[in-house]
Amino acid sequence: MASSPTSATTLDVAVVGVGLGGLYALHRLRGMGMTARGYEAGSGIGGTWFWNRYPGARCDIESLEYSYSFSEDLQNEWHWPERYATQPVILEYINHVADRFDLRRDIQLNTRIAEARFDAADRCWTLRTKAGEEIRARHVIMATGNLSTPRVPDFQGIEDFQGKWYHTGLWPAEGVDFTGQTVGVVGTGSTAIQMIPRIAAQAKHLYVFQRTANFSLPARNAPMDAATEADHRARYAERLVDARQTAFGVSGVPIPVQSALAVPEAERRANYEAMWARGGTIPLLNCYNDFLVDERANETAAEFVREKIRGIVKDPRTAALLTPNDHPIGSKRLCLDTGYYETYNRGNVTLVDVRSDPIERVTPRGLRLTGGTEYAVDSLAFATGFDAMTGALREIDIRGAEGQALAEAWEGGPLTYLGLMVAGFPNLFMVTGPGSPGVKSQMIHSIEQHVDWIADCLAHLRAKGLATIAPTEQAQADWVDHVNKVADRTLYPRANSWYVGANVPGKPRVFMPYVGGVAAYRRKCDEVAAKGYAGFVLA
Ligand code: N01
């Protein structure tokens, strides 16, 4: 690893976090001849894919889509072994990219950034690591991720639990062997739904503590089909253009033009059956154009999936509990599974409803519910999610031009312009920040678009001999208003999801992602740049 720059060095750019976003930022900035360095809290690069090592972790977007597009050579050299890549394979890919583009010499591992302060006189950021090292940089790119602050609910008694407990987002690198154990999994989000079939196959008994039933679709994972891979490579450039026109940044799925209510029921059903058989979430979400805006249209797909659940799960009481009925399908992240509902037909799996009887506390032996029932377990796995989108940024003491704290500026929810910058915080950029479509898209697609926009912006500042850029309060207020209006036209805000911070008690209920789609968002970002960075003050 390269030695740390001396305290006298002022970097052009400090990149905080070296997951997929930070890594690409380092590559782009190096290509522009900028001095940039990545600071990563983990002992390895990869971000989400470094930490989330729970059993069954894999990407729910197809591998051929979920990969960098900045280098066609990279795309052509790399072979994804399965339709959906596992966590170890994605981590291997990320490490391959770091080596392939010689990025490691600009990366400092085991380094958590604790503070970032902007000196207005000097027009420079000073970052301080948890270990006390100081770093000076003209610009900072926060590539800290959206789901990187794991959250265990504040259950009393956890310190007295005599078994072992884990959070999926901090899973031990050496893995966990649950053979012969009674295990409790808390949560039934995307993570739990991937993990539960795997633990059930190993444990003596598995209790799943469910508060909210979720919609999940079959992945239909399979070894990579050689013809599909060859076709993807042959039409790679075309596919990239394609992906940019869509809502989610994924190619190969036609943009829907028809309402679900405009077709006869038999045809609609046949269409849903075809998408169920095809596997994946994107094909079903793209069947019709009004799933996420019209309750009745949404209900046609929701009921289709509910029927599937009732058809798979043999015990009617368990099936009823697993059937979601409190939110429109797709308004929470739609889950993707391999044998999730089937797992409840096993004799060693019990679904516990903690909606009607909530978890009261952790006891030395296990979990006790408010009604008094205690479940004794050897191990507890919390698949309870993250302080999403704002958690990682709020954990760093970030101070803007007038010494104001970002955490205070965001007390009522995140305020950004385009999800890229915050008024009062010059030269501080975010990758896939709140107010951008990041989490509502194929993440690598959005990461690349954001990093490219930031890199072009830095090139513009350099070419014009300018030192700072920050959004105006007005442009930020208008964007936040737009993000909210777009969300309010959809069914998304109906769900108690992490998109609105509902999983963190006390977090302000604000719809954080931009759901106007990646195509509209890219147009807006390009237009802002073309107009000389409209809505920003450059100095
Ligand atoms: O977290 P979640 P996740 N008592 O917040 C429950 C991405 N991802 O880690 O719904 C009881 O979705 C909570 O219940 P409720 C993806 O974007 C991607 O599963 O709040 N239960 C819920 O069931 C995803 O959306 C991949 O009522 C409690 C669960 O814990 C995001 O990560 C794979 C509780 C948390 O679900 C987060 O998913 C996996 C309590 N006190 C994840 N507190 C890919 O494939 C919380 N819960 C790319």
Side-chain angles (χ1 to χ4, degrees):
M1 190 199 301
S3 62
S4 196
T6 66
S7 50
T9 315
T10 299
L11 296 166
D12 290 322
V13 188
V15 177
V16 184
V18 189
L20 285 156
L23 198 62
Y24 179 52
L26 291 172
H27 174 67
R28 260 311 303 263
L29 297 168
R30 165 106 51 89
M32 292 164 64
M34 291 202 156
T35 55
R37 197 164 170 78
Y39 298 90
E40 169 54 51
S43 61
I45 61 168
T48 284
W49 298 108
F50 175 83
W51 297 104
N52 285 269
R53 297 166 187 253
Y54 59 86
R58 67 171 75 235
C59 188
D60 56 12
I61 302 278
E62 297 192 35
S63 322
L64 291 169
E65 297 287 329
Y66 192 83
S67 37
Y68 285 122
S69 73
F70 68 83
S71 160
E72 197 162 340
D73 286 345
L74 169 66
Q75 183 81 8
N76 287 332
E77 286 158 19
W78 184 262
H79 167 67
W80 293 105
E82 290 179 277
R83 183 176 175 188
Y84 304 92
T86 59
Q87 173 271 329
V89 168
I90 299 172
L91 191 58
E92 193 187 325
Y93 170 73
I94 295 170
N95 277 284
H96 167 74
V97 172
D99 292 332
R100 166 84 169 68
F101 296 95
D102 185 25
L103 297 171
R104 288 193 201 275
R105 61 189 158 96
D106 292 331
I107 298 169
Q108 188 169 321
L109 299 174
N110 299 304
T111 305
R112 186 174 284 282
I113 300 297
E115 286 175 26
R117 283 163 204 278
F118 187 71
D119 180 340
D122 215 10
R123 298 190 295 192
C124 190
W125 282 92
T126 301
L127 278 62
R128 189 184 296 275
T129 69
K130 204 170 163 220
E133 184 192 348
E134 267 194 10
I135 299 137
R136 285 168 55 78
R138 298 265 163 227
H139 303 271
V140 176
I141 297 179
M142 290 292 179
T144 42
N146 286 285
L147 296 159
S148 40
T149 310
R151 199 181 166 275
V152 177
D154 310 318
F155 295 130
Q156 276 183 8
I158 197 156
E159 64 287 354
D160 299 324
F161 179 56
Q162 282 169 6
K164 292 222 164 101
W165 67 266
Y166 311 90
H167 187 285
T168 52
L170 293 169
W171 203 261
E174 64 279 13
V176 181
D177 183 2
F178 292 114
T179 307
Q181 293 194 16
T182 298
V183 181
V185 168
V186 182
T188 48
S190 298
T191 298
I193 281 175
Q194 288 186 332
M195 180 170 74
I196 284 165
R198 296 286 296 275
I199 297 186
Q202 201 177 49
K204 184 169 84 185
H205 198 91
L206 171 63
Y207 290 105
V208 177
F209 297 91
Q210 173 188 272
R211 188 163 67 183
T212 309
N214 240 319
F215 289 100
S216 186
L217 305 180
R220 312 249 182 251
N221 186 36
M224 179 58 67
D225 173 58
T228 306
E229 188 181 45
D231 176 68
H232 199 97
R233 285 181 176 169
R235 297 192 299 114
Y236 193 58
E238 188 191 320
R239 278 184 167 269
L240 274 181
V241 175
D242 226 36
R244 291 180 179 189
Q245 316 305 322
T246 64
F248 304 113
V250 175
S251 76
V253 185
I255 296 170
V257 289
Q258 210 171 18
S259 159
L261 304 172
V263 288
E265 196 192 331
E267 183 186 327
R268 194 169 57 218
R269 198 178 169 83
N271 210 355
Y272 292 158
E273 286 289 1
M275 297 306 135
W276 181 268
R278 177 174 166 178
T281 56
I282 304 286
L284 189 98
L285 284 171
N286 277 279
C287 268
Y288 299 108
N289 65 6
D290 51 356
F291 276 158
L292 294 164
V293 291
D294 184 306
E295 217 168 327
R296 286 189 310 138
N298 187 282
E299 187 56 22
T300 62
E303 193 47 31
F304 172 81
V305 177
R306 290 189 199 112
E307 273 175 34
K308 289 286 182 196
I309 300 170
R310 289 191 284 262
I312 298 169
V313 180
K314 293 193 176 120
D315 172 47
R317 189 185 159 272
T318 306
L321 277 178
L322 286 168
T323 305
N325 52 24
D326 69 343
H327 63 278
I329 186 168
S331 60
K332 281 185 162 199
R333 168 72 171 237
L334 193 48
C335 304
L336 198 68
D337 71 273
T338 299
Y340 175 64
Y341 295 117
E342 290 82 349
T343 297
Y344 293 93
N345 293 333
R346 297 176 65 107
N348 70 333
V349 177
T350 308
L351 182 66
V352 182
D353 173 20
V354 296
R355 163 78 56 201
S356 61
D357 191 1
I359 297 167
E360 189 211 344
R361 60 173 296 134
V362 179
T363 66
R365 288 171 4 116
L367 285 180
R368 191 165 71 216
L369 308 191
T370 312
T373 313
E374 186 184 24
Y375 290 88
V377 294
D378 299 304
S379 296
L380 277 170
F382 293 100
T384 44
F386 302 85
D387 183 353
M389 304 195 72
T390 53
L393 289 166
R394 286 173 54 106
E395 267 184 2
I396 303 173
D397 184 6
I398 303 174
R399 305 277 167 161
E402 284 161 27
Q404 71 277 35
L406 183 75
E408 275 169 34
W410 283 9
E411 215 161 27
L415 304 172
T416 74
Y417 182 35
L418 301 172
L420 287 164
M421 293 196 88
V422 184
F425 295 80
N427 295 0
L428 182 87
F429 298 89
M430 292 170 293
V431 180
T432 68
S436 83
V439 296
K440 288 305 305 162
S441 70
Q442 197 275 80
M443 282 302 276
I444 304 181
H445 175 103
S446 286
I447 281 169
E448 289 185 325
Q449 188 240 327
H450 289 195
V451 169
D452 287 341
W453 190 95
I454 295 166
D456 291 347
C457 172
L458 295 179
H460 176 84
L461 294 177
R462 185 170 62 179
K464 299 274 176 201
L466 297 165
T468 60
I469 178 167
T472 65
E473 292 282 355
Q474 189 58 52
Q476 177 168 284
D478 290 348
W479 180 251
V480 171
D481 186 50
H482 176 64
V483 168
N484 285 321
K485 282 200 176 114
V486 171
D488 288 343
R489 289 200 292 266
T490 71
L491 303 175
Y492 284 112
R494 304 268 187 98
N496 289 323
S497 64
W498 57 260
Y499 300 145
V500 293
N503 63 322
V504 180
K507 193 165 172 173
R509 192 180 175 102
V510 174
F511 192 83
M512 295 185 281
Y514 174 66
V515 287
V518 299
Y521 176 76
R522 182 185 289 269
R523 274 198 302 278
K524 173 72 182 172
C525 291
D526 290 350
E527 185 189 300
V528 164
K531 288 186 178 157
Y533 294 89
F536 289 96
V537 175
L538 285 67

